[in-house]
Amino acid sequence: MNDQRVAVVGGGSRGIGKAIAVALGARGYAVAVGFHGSDFAAGQVVEEITASGGRAIAVQADVADEDAVAQMFDVAESIGGIDVVVNSAGRLSLSPIADLDLDELDALHRTNIRGTFVMAREAARRVRAGGAIVNLSTSVVGLQFPGYGAYAASKGAVEAMTLVLARELRGRDITVNAVAPGPTATELFLDGKDEATIERLAKQPPLERLGTPQDIAEVVAFLASPAGHWINGQVVRANGGII
């Protein structure tokens, strides 16, 4: 098999996913930058990685579509052996449970639960020994902020499947973990929030700031590296110390 190390990053064109793709590219992985909507944004990520001497390709795929995901992995395997799979594709919807439109609930769960499951299933079939699978959860699963009921429920499912898969891959020398960011300054997080709300959330961690996409990317890159290979079947709450 080709010795080129390859990382597949679902939702790699924006926010935390973009930072993860760039971080893995800087560490020598050829990166398949998965995207659903904007090929322009994905192309910018590819340009950023290649401008620094890395190798990357943009691949369009709806993470909830098993055929599209299989094709994305086919493209990745044409470059080299798949060593890292990160699913950072996600959808956020804020509403009190009593008021949530159930169509929005279905859309959110299609991306966050089905999408993560489809990506994890393909990863379990293709990642080679010594590799890593990392899913993205949220610290809201533990913090239980009002308005996040549907989102937290979907990410609770992500954590459950992550821990089960870690055990199912016994003997394969593949780690499976989840990273659960706290409030992080991305377009997805900042959208619809006023300055007072943002400032209040930034003061919650003892470090008294919002996380950055790079903060989360560094955690993911560590878990994907040989140095992080003894960490397995865990949920890492990367949130600056919010309790």
Side-chain angles (χ1 to χ4, degrees):
M1 181 177 285
N2 193 322
D3 288 335
Q4 172 68 63
R5 296 180 302 160
V6 176
V8 178
V9 182
S13 64
R14 299 179 184 277
I16 291 172
K18 174 183 176 180
I20 291 169
V22 170
L24 293 174
R27 286 161 173 79
Y29 293 93
V31 184
V33 180
F35 72 97
H36 186 206
S38 174
D39 57 350
F40 177 76
Q44 287 185 312
V45 179
V46 169
E47 288 180 10
E48 184 171 345
I49 293 170
T50 56
S52 299
R55 187 176 181 186
I57 185 171
V59 187
Q60 187 167 23
D62 173 358
V63 292
D65 181 334
E66 63 268 35
D67 293 331
V69 168
Q71 290 172 9
M72 177 168 63
F73 276 72
D74 287 344
V75 171
E77 282 189 327
S78 72
I79 301 170
I82 298 176
D83 295 288
V84 176
V85 174
V86 181
N87 188 43
S88 55
R91 184 182 181 101
L92 173 64
S93 181
L94 300 181
S95 170
I97 290 172
D99 300 330
L100 182 67
D101 185 319
L102 293 183
D103 287 340
E104 182 59 28
L105 177 70
D106 291 342
L108 187 151
H109 283 197
R110 184 179 188 278
T111 298
N112 295 358
I113 298 178
R114 180 185 170 92
T116 299
F117 195 99
V118 170
M119 286 285 291
R121 186 179 73 159
E122 204 64 38
R125 295 171 175 176
R126 305 217 203 188
V127 170
R128 57 185 176 178
I133 301 168
V134 184
N135 294 321
L136 269 290
S137 179
T138 173
S139 286
V140 173
V141 172
L143 297 171
Q144 294 137 14
F145 292 152
Y148 284 81
Y151 183 64
S154 71
K155 292 298 189 175
V158 168
E159 293 186 7
M161 73 177 80
T162 298
L163 305 187
V164 169
L165 184 58
R167 287 147 183 80
E168 289 179 347
L169 295 185
R170 174 181 291 274
R172 295 270 305 277
D173 191 28
I174 298 168
T175 63
V176 189
N177 294 289
V179 174
T184 305
T186 65
E187 289 181 20
L188 184 69
F189 172 78
L190 296 173
D191 184 45
K193 294 182 175 68
D194 59 30
E195 288 297 324
T197 299
I198 293 170
E199 184 175 352
R200 175 177 56 81
L201 291 169
K203 291 295 184 182
Q204 287 186 323
L207 298 179
E208 294 192 333
R209 67 171 177 84
L210 294 176
T212 68
Q214 289 71 29
D215 289 327
I216 310 306
E218 289 296 325
V219 177
V220 172
F222 172 71
L223 292 173
S225 74
H229 201 65
W230 192 234
I231 300 173
N232 189 28
Q234 304 298 316
V235 178
V236 180
R237 303 218 179 277
N239 60 27
I242 301 176
I243 298 175

